[in-house]
Amino acid sequence: VQLQASGGGTVQAGGSLRLSCAASGRTFSNYAMAWFRQAPGKEREFVAAIDWSDNADYVDSVKGRFTISRDNAKDTVYLQMDSLKPEDTAVYYCAQGRTSYYYKDGMQYWGKGTQVTVSS
């Protein structure tokens, strides 16, 4: 399985970015997908996940601002990030789960990250 994330960049606070993650190697629609992030000097943290039936979950700090979605026809998961804050600055990673449902420590494959920088 390969996961290729894209869409990162630098944006001012209050702005928006859309991350994409294209997957290949197995049947995309069968697996949960998730986004994680890691800021400098901090541990990697969960951001959002979506299961095979489009049920989504978010970390509290991004609820109402970020939206995860998937397009099974394109084998791609997205993270729409609105109302960005400087504290959202991090390297963002996409991951694919071991099963159709997301659960903690249940991610099996990881992509290379994409940098998101939010300036104040």
Side-chain angles (χ1 to χ4, degrees):
V1 172
Q2 291 189 331
L3 303 173
Q4 182 64 51
S6 61
T10 300
V11 64
Q12 288 189 332
S16 298
L17 282 174
R18 187 196 196 202
L19 305 183
S20 300
C21 176
S24 62
R26 61 182 183 180
T27 306
F28 178 78
S29 59
N30 288 349
Y31 298 94
M33 299 295 297
W35 289 95
F36 291 74
R37 66 187 179 187
Q38 187 167 21
K42 295 187 177 181
E43 293 186 354
R44 184 173 62 194
E45 69 167 347
F46 166 79
V47 176
I50 187 167
D51 69 17
W52 72 282
S53 61
D54 285 348
N55 294 308
D57 191 20
Y58 301 90
V59 66
D60 285 347
S61 61
V62 308
K63 285 181 179 177
R65 300 188 299 121
F66 290 12
T67 303
I68 189 171
S69 62
R70 64 191 298 159
D71 185 338
N72 292 333
K74 296 183 178 180
D75 292 353
T76 300
V77 63
Y78 304 98
L79 186 67
Q80 177 66 42
M81 306 185 293
D82 299 319
S83 302
L84 282 160
K85 304 176 181 180
E87 50 263 43
D88 294 318
T89 295
V91 177
Y92 284 70
Y93 299 89
C94 66
Q96 188 174 73
R98 302 178 188 278
T99 72
S100 300
Y101 296 94
Y102 171 79
Y103 57 95
K104 188 179 179 182
D105 298 326
M107 308 317 289
Q108 185 173 12
Y109 296 103
W110 296 81
K112 295 181 180 180
T114 185
Q115 176 71 47
V116 172
T117 302
V118 184
S119 60
S120 57

